[in-house]
Amino acid sequence: MAEVHVIGQIMGATGFSESSLFCKWGIHTGAAWKLLSGIREGQTQVDTPQVGDMAYWSHPIDLHFATKGLQGWPRLHLQVWSQDSFGRCQLAGYGFCHVPSSPGTHQLDCPTWRPLGSWREQLARAFVGGGPQLLHGDAIYSGADRYRLHTAAGGTVHLELGLLLRHFERYGVEC
Amino acid sequence: MAAAGPSVFLLMVNGQVESAQFPEYDDLYCKYCFVYGQDWAPTAGLEEGISQITSKSQDVRQALVWNFPIDVTFKSTNPYGWPQIVLSVYGPDVFGNDVVRGYGAVHLPFSPGRHKRTIPMFVPESTSKLQKFTSWFMGRRPEYTDPKVVAQGEGREGENAEAETPKAAQLMPPFSSQ
């Protein structure tokens, strides 16, 4: 079986109107992929930037996959949330990006979006907080039912991922 | 191509913790250590170190320079658990106590060659205002009992952190494999 190592960090996020952000992340793969070592999902700490506007998480990612096919190449999906001084959490954005497919170190910038509700819900969000969220996380990385959504842009999440591929040439895949 | 047993490869890293930028703090020293998976073992060099205390230069740059050497070689059979270097920076507070100014971690580079990394640092923050004041006053800030926690992904959900500014470490890692 061919093997893929994804080793890197979720560095941080910029461009969000809220400070005190944290990120819940996960990796989704197709049926032919098996996770050999590593944790497939996690949550970063809450970070409040003191200098500048980038919230830094430096959250390590270290995953080792084995696969029998190229379908379902791993996708990293993210949810960025903000936490206020009372400890309440509010959604700041959803985003996803594919794990790169060429070996080496890659800098990735993942844009995010959040669902807008009706004008009443938007007004309530401005004053009281809260706001609509997705019921099922798979709309973040799948295109299937996206046409139902009306969304607004959030900020950008910055990642640095290193990729190591092994035994792909046995299956006729050049990398 | 013969089918071989697990093959061992070496990762050799030479470099330095060059300098830091901390606009608000002075007289800092840093400690480094490595966090790596079970399949990795250090074969040469020092796994931990403590630098000298440095003060900001008097000129316009206000630079905090350590120029602290890092020299280590690891051997492994598996890229999983690729080593990370964990840096912790400490300095005196207004009362003279030694408090933590930042933690940061970064993976060692994967490819041979010269790499310069700037590592953002963060400190854990108390969630209650009273505790923030008490810890400022008593000089006992929230600190990790084991800085290696910074290199792990699990268990970070409960933490609050403030990010300080980046610092630079220069790493030059050649590979050699057998």
mmCIF file of all heavy atoms in Angstrom, chain B residues 88-118:
data_model
loop_
_atom_site.group_PDB
_atom_site.id
_atom_site.type_symbol
_atom_site.label_atom_id
_atom_site.label_comp_id
_atom_site.label_asym_id
_atom_site.label_seq_id
_atom_site.Cartn_x
_atom_site.Cartn_y
_atom_site.Cartn_z
ATOM 1 N N SER B 88 11.207 27.828 24.991
ATOM 2 C CA SER B 88 10.522 28.565 26.058
ATOM 3 C C SER B 88 11.407 29.741 26.414
ATOM 4 O O SER B 88 12.604 29.573 26.610
ATOM 5 C CB SER B 88 10.321 27.732 27.311
ATOM 6 O OG SER B 88 10.373 26.378 27.041
ATOM 7 N N VAL B 89 10.816 30.891 26.504
ATOM 8 C CA VAL B 89 11.569 32.113 26.802
ATOM 9 C C VAL B 89 11.147 32.622 28.166
ATOM 10 O O VAL B 89 9.954 32.685 28.466
ATOM 11 C CB VAL B 89 11.284 33.183 25.734
ATOM 12 C CG1 VAL B 89 11.969 34.487 26.081
ATOM 13 C CG2 VAL B 89 11.724 32.690 24.380
ATOM 14 N N TYR B 90 12.139 32.972 28.991
ATOM 15 C CA TYR B 90 11.870 33.445 30.352
ATOM 16 C C TYR B 90 12.548 34.779 30.571
ATOM 17 O O TYR B 90 13.584 35.072 29.972
ATOM 18 C CB TYR B 90 12.415 32.454 31.381
ATOM 19 C CG TYR B 90 11.807 31.077 31.304
ATOM 20 C CD1 TYR B 90 12.311 30.123 30.438
ATOM 21 C CD2 TYR B 90 10.714 30.735 32.097
ATOM 22 C CE1 TYR B 90 11.750 28.868 30.350
ATOM 23 C CE2 TYR B 90 10.148 29.482 32.024
ATOM 24 C CZ TYR B 90 10.663 28.551 31.150
ATOM 25 O OH TYR B 90 10.104 27.303 31.066
ATOM 26 N N GLY B 91 11.969 35.568 31.473
ATOM 27 C CA GLY B 91 12.609 36.835 31.802
ATOM 28 C C GLY B 91 12.109 37.331 33.140
ATOM 29 O O GLY B 91 11.157 36.779 33.695
ATOM 30 N N PRO B 92 12.744 38.374 33.680
ATOM 31 C CA PRO B 92 12.309 38.877 34.990
ATOM 32 C C PRO B 92 11.096 39.773 34.839
ATOM 33 O O PRO B 92 10.964 40.499 33.855
ATOM 34 C CB PRO B 92 13.521 39.690 35.470
ATOM 35 C CG PRO B 92 14.174 40.149 34.218
ATOM 36 C CD PRO B 92 13.899 39.132 33.157
ATOM 37 N N ASP B 93 10.218 39.742 35.837
ATOM 38 C CA ASP B 93 9.117 40.703 35.829
ATOM 39 C C ASP B 93 9.525 41.903 36.678
ATOM 40 O O ASP B 93 10.650 41.994 37.137
ATOM 41 C CB ASP B 93 7.810 40.063 36.304
ATOM 42 C CG ASP B 93 7.854 39.718 37.788
ATOM 43 O OD1 ASP B 93 8.893 39.953 38.440
ATOM 44 O OD2 ASP B 93 6.858 39.196 38.302
ATOM 45 N N VAL B 94 8.597 42.795 36.920
ATOM 46 C CA VAL B 94 8.942 44.062 37.576
ATOM 47 C C VAL B 94 9.430 43.857 39.014
ATOM 48 O O VAL B 94 10.155 44.670 39.562
ATOM 49 C CB VAL B 94 7.708 44.994 37.477
ATOM 50 C CG1 VAL B 94 6.780 44.791 38.650
ATOM 51 C CG2 VAL B 94 8.096 46.403 37.255
ATOM 52 N N PHE B 95 9.052 42.728 39.631
ATOM 53 C CA PHE B 95 9.485 42.451 40.997
ATOM 54 C C PHE B 95 10.770 41.633 41.050
ATOM 55 O O PHE B 95 11.242 41.321 42.123
ATOM 56 C CB PHE B 95 8.384 41.712 41.763
ATOM 57 C CG PHE B 95 7.099 42.479 41.840
ATOM 58 C CD1 PHE B 95 5.993 42.088 41.108
ATOM 59 C CD2 PHE B 95 7.000 43.620 42.639
ATOM 60 C CE1 PHE B 95 4.812 42.795 41.163
ATOM 61 C CE2 PHE B 95 5.815 44.341 42.697
ATOM 62 C CZ PHE B 95 4.716 43.925 41.963
ATOM 63 N N GLY B 96 11.288 41.238 39.909
ATOM 64 C CA GLY B 96 12.529 40.457 39.893
ATOM 65 C C GLY B 96 12.333 38.958 39.814
ATOM 66 O O GLY B 96 13.299 38.198 39.798
ATOM 67 N N ASN B 97 11.100 38.463 39.764
ATOM 68 C CA ASN B 97 10.888 37.015 39.640
ATOM 69 C C ASN B 97 11.067 36.581 38.194
ATOM 70 O O ASN B 97 10.783 37.329 37.277
ATOM 71 C CB ASN B 97 9.461 36.658 40.061
ATOM 72 C CG ASN B 97 9.124 37.159 41.426
ATOM 73 O OD1 ASN B 97 9.820 36.897 42.376
ATOM 74 N ND2 ASN B 97 8.042 37.927 41.522
ATOM 75 N N ASP B 98 11.463 35.325 38.039
ATOM 76 C CA ASP B 98 11.655 34.752 36.717
ATOM 77 C C ASP B 98 10.312 34.227 36.215
ATOM 78 O O ASP B 98 9.758 33.307 36.795
ATOM 79 C CB ASP B 98 12.605 33.566 36.906
ATOM 80 C CG ASP B 98 13.480 33.367 35.713
ATOM 81 O OD1 ASP B 98 13.545 34.281 34.861
ATOM 82 O OD2 ASP B 98 14.103 32.307 35.632
ATOM 83 N N VAL B 99 9.789 34.832 35.179
ATOM 84 C CA VAL B 99 8.484 34.359 34.692
ATOM 85 C C VAL B 99 8.592 33.980 33.217
ATOM 86 O O VAL B 99 9.479 34.452 32.506
ATOM 87 C CB VAL B 99 7.373 35.417 34.853
ATOM 88 C CG1 VAL B 99 7.113 35.680 36.307
ATOM 89 C CG2 VAL B 99 7.725 36.682 34.141
ATOM 90 N N VAL B 100 7.646 33.166 32.768
ATOM 91 C CA VAL B 100 7.691 32.710 31.389
ATOM 92 C C VAL B 100 7.141 33.802 30.481
ATOM 93 O O VAL B 100 6.132 34.440 30.777
ATOM 94 C CB VAL B 100 6.919 31.380 31.235
ATOM 95 C CG1 VAL B 100 5.444 31.547 31.486
ATOM 96 C CG2 VAL B 100 7.135 30.806 29.877
ATOM 97 N N ARG B 101 7.844 34.055 29.379
ATOM 98 C CA ARG B 101 7.421 35.099 28.434
ATOM 99 C C ARG B 101 6.846 34.514 27.165
ATOM 100 O O ARG B 101 6.218 35.214 26.386
ATOM 101 C CB ARG B 101 8.606 35.992 28.070
ATOM 102 C CG ARG B 101 9.122 36.834 29.198
ATOM 103 C CD ARG B 101 8.058 37.651 29.797
ATOM 104 N NE ARG B 101 8.527 38.613 30.761
ATOM 105 C CZ ARG B 101 7.707 39.232 31.625
ATOM 106 N NH1 ARG B 101 6.428 38.952 31.632
ATOM 107 N NH2 ARG B 101 8.191 40.112 32.476
ATOM 108 N N GLY B 102 7.107 33.252 26.915
ATOM 109 C CA GLY B 102 6.517 32.664 25.716
ATOM 110 C C GLY B 102 6.966 31.235 25.503
ATOM 111 O O GLY B 102 8.067 30.842 25.893
ATOM 112 N N TYR B 103 6.072 30.444 24.891
ATOM 113 C CA TYR B 103 6.397 29.094 24.448
ATOM 114 C C TYR B 103 6.132 29.030 22.956
ATOM 115 O O TYR B 103 5.204 29.661 22.465
ATOM 116 C CB TYR B 103 5.469 28.066 25.100
ATOM 117 C CG TYR B 103 5.589 27.912 26.583
ATOM 118 C CD1 TYR B 103 4.624 28.455 27.427
ATOM 119 C CD2 TYR B 103 6.628 27.195 27.144
ATOM 120 C CE1 TYR B 103 4.709 28.288 28.789
ATOM 121 C CE2 TYR B 103 6.716 27.027 28.518
ATOM 122 C CZ TYR B 103 5.758 27.584 29.337
ATOM 123 O OH TYR B 103 5.841 27.417 30.689
ATOM 124 N N GLY B 104 6.901 28.234 22.252
ATOM 125 C CA GLY B 104 6.614 28.039 20.828
ATOM 126 C C GLY B 104 7.237 26.737 20.381
ATOM 127 O O GLY B 104 8.170 26.236 21.008
ATOM 128 N N ALA B 105 6.720 26.189 19.308
ATOM 129 C CA ALA B 105 7.271 24.933 18.802
ATOM 130 C C ALA B 105 7.161 24.938 17.293
ATOM 131 O O ALA B 105 6.256 25.544 16.726
ATOM 132 C CB ALA B 105 6.491 23.741 19.361
ATOM 133 N N VAL B 106 8.109 24.234 16.654
ATOM 134 C CA VAL B 106 8.036 24.116 15.197
ATOM 135 C C VAL B 106 8.662 22.778 14.826
ATOM 136 O O VAL B 106 9.560 22.285 15.526
ATOM 137 C CB VAL B 106 8.763 25.300 14.521
ATOM 138 C CG1 VAL B 106 10.267 25.174 14.589
ATOM 139 C CG2 VAL B 106 8.315 25.462 13.091
ATOM 140 N N HIS B 107 8.172 22.153 13.744
ATOM 141 C CA HIS B 107 8.795 20.918 13.272
ATOM 142 C C HIS B 107 10.160 21.228 12.694
ATOM 143 O O HIS B 107 10.349 22.275 12.068
ATOM 144 C CB HIS B 107 7.952 20.299 12.155
ATOM 145 C CG HIS B 107 6.723 19.617 12.651
ATOM 146 N ND1 HIS B 107 6.737 18.385 13.254
ATOM 147 C CD2 HIS B 107 5.428 19.965 12.621
ATOM 148 C CE1 HIS B 107 5.509 18.025 13.576
ATOM 149 N NE2 HIS B 107 4.695 18.970 13.203
ATOM 150 N N LEU B 108 11.093 20.322 12.848
ATOM 151 C CA LEU B 108 12.372 20.484 12.158
ATOM 152 C C LEU B 108 12.114 20.359 10.659
ATOM 153 O O LEU B 108 11.223 19.631 10.245
ATOM 154 C CB LEU B 108 13.353 19.400 12.624
ATOM 155 C CG LEU B 108 13.742 19.459 14.102
ATOM 156 C CD1 LEU B 108 14.740 18.379 14.425
ATOM 157 C CD2 LEU B 108 14.289 20.816 14.474
ATOM 158 N N PRO B 109 12.875 21.088 9.831
ATOM 159 C CA PRO B 109 12.597 21.075 8.393
ATOM 160 C C PRO B 109 12.714 19.684 7.780
ATOM 161 O O PRO B 109 13.460 18.841 8.270
ATOM 162 C CB PRO B 109 13.666 22.001 7.819
ATOM 163 C CG PRO B 109 14.063 22.868 8.955
ATOM 164 C CD PRO B 109 13.926 22.035 10.177
ATOM 165 N N PHE B 110 11.965 19.444 6.708
ATOM 166 C CA PHE B 110 11.946 18.118 6.092
ATOM 167 C C PHE B 110 12.947 17.942 5.004
ATOM 168 O O PHE B 110 13.222 16.832 4.586
ATOM 169 C CB PHE B 110 10.576 17.858 5.432
ATOM 170 C CG PHE B 110 9.458 18.098 6.361
ATOM 171 C CD1 PHE B 110 8.626 19.174 6.180
ATOM 172 C CD2 PHE B 110 9.251 17.279 7.434
ATOM 173 C CE1 PHE B 110 7.598 19.424 7.053
ATOM 174 C CE2 PHE B 110 8.229 17.521 8.316
ATOM 175 C CZ PHE B 110 7.393 18.590 8.121
ATOM 176 N N SER B 111 13.437 19.058 4.464
ATOM 177 C CA SER B 111 14.286 18.926 3.287
ATOM 178 C C SER B 111 15.663 19.465 3.604
ATOM 179 O O SER B 111 15.808 20.359 4.441
ATOM 180 C CB SER B 111 13.667 19.691 2.120
ATOM 181 O OG SER B 111 13.357 20.989 2.525
ATOM 182 N N PRO B 112 16.675 18.926 2.953
ATOM 183 C CA PRO B 112 18.029 19.414 3.215
ATOM 184 C C PRO B 112 18.162 20.853 2.751
ATOM 185 O O PRO B 112 17.438 21.309 1.883
ATOM 186 C CB PRO B 112 18.917 18.500 2.361
ATOM 187 C CG PRO B 112 18.055 17.493 1.750
ATOM 188 C CD PRO B 112 16.640 17.847 1.956
ATOM 189 N N GLY B 113 19.095 21.562 3.361
ATOM 190 C CA GLY B 113 19.292 22.936 2.920
ATOM 191 C C GLY B 113 19.207 23.874 4.089
ATOM 192 O O GLY B 113 19.122 23.475 5.238
ATOM 193 N N ARG B 114 19.184 25.132 3.756
ATOM 194 C CA ARG B 114 19.215 26.169 4.771
ATOM 195 C C ARG B 114 17.812 26.714 4.965
ATOM 196 O O ARG B 114 17.155 27.079 4.008
ATOM 197 C CB ARG B 114 20.136 27.268 4.277
ATOM 198 C CG ARG B 114 20.660 28.088 5.351
ATOM 199 C CD ARG B 114 21.943 28.757 4.934
ATOM 200 N NE ARG B 114 22.148 29.845 5.873
ATOM 201 C CZ ARG B 114 21.753 31.090 5.668
ATOM 202 N NH1 ARG B 114 21.195 31.416 4.536
ATOM 203 N NH2 ARG B 114 21.930 32.000 6.594
ATOM 204 N N HIS B 115 17.334 26.748 6.207
ATOM 205 C CA HIS B 115 15.976 27.200 6.470
ATOM 206 C C HIS B 115 15.991 28.210 7.588
ATOM 207 O O HIS B 115 16.685 28.028 8.579
ATOM 208 C CB HIS B 115 15.098 26.029 6.922
ATOM 209 C CG HIS B 115 15.084 24.884 5.970
ATOM 210 N ND1 HIS B 115 14.085 24.700 5.051
ATOM 211 C CD2 HIS B 115 15.950 23.866 5.782
ATOM 212 C CE1 HIS B 115 14.336 23.605 4.353
ATOM 213 N NE2 HIS B 115 15.464 23.088 4.773
ATOM 214 N N LYS B 116 15.207 29.233 7.462
ATOM 215 C CA LYS B 116 15.095 30.216 8.540
ATOM 216 C C LYS B 116 13.642 30.216 8.982
ATOM 217 O O LYS B 116 12.746 30.371 8.168
ATOM 218 C CB LYS B 116 15.492 31.586 8.027
ATOM 219 C CG LYS B 116 15.543 32.609 9.117
ATOM 220 C CD LYS B 116 16.389 33.793 8.680
ATOM 221 C CE LYS B 116 16.292 34.879 9.722
ATOM 222 N NZ LYS B 116 17.374 35.807 9.676
ATOM 223 N N ARG B 117 13.417 29.964 10.252
ATOM 224 C CA ARG B 117 12.047 29.920 10.733
ATOM 225 C C ARG B 117 11.826 30.984 11.789
ATOM 226 O O ARG B 117 12.644 31.163 12.680
ATOM 227 C CB ARG B 117 11.746 28.581 11.382
ATOM 228 C CG ARG B 117 12.123 27.408 10.590
ATOM 229 C CD ARG B 117 11.497 27.457 9.209
ATOM 230 N NE ARG B 117 10.880 26.187 8.946
ATOM 231 C CZ ARG B 117 9.615 25.910 9.213
ATOM 232 N NH1 ARG B 117 8.850 26.827 9.616
ATOM 233 N NH2 ARG B 117 9.132 24.717 9.037
ATOM 234 N N THR B 118 10.672 31.608 11.695
ATOM 235 C CA THR B 118 10.270 32.577 12.717
ATOM 236 C C THR B 118 9.125 31.938 13.485
ATOM 237 O O THR B 118 8.124 31.551 12.896
ATOM 238 C CB THR B 118 9.809 33.870 12.039
ATOM 239 O OG1 THR B 118 10.862 34.330 11.216
ATOM 240 C CG2 THR B 118 9.487 34.919 13.056
#
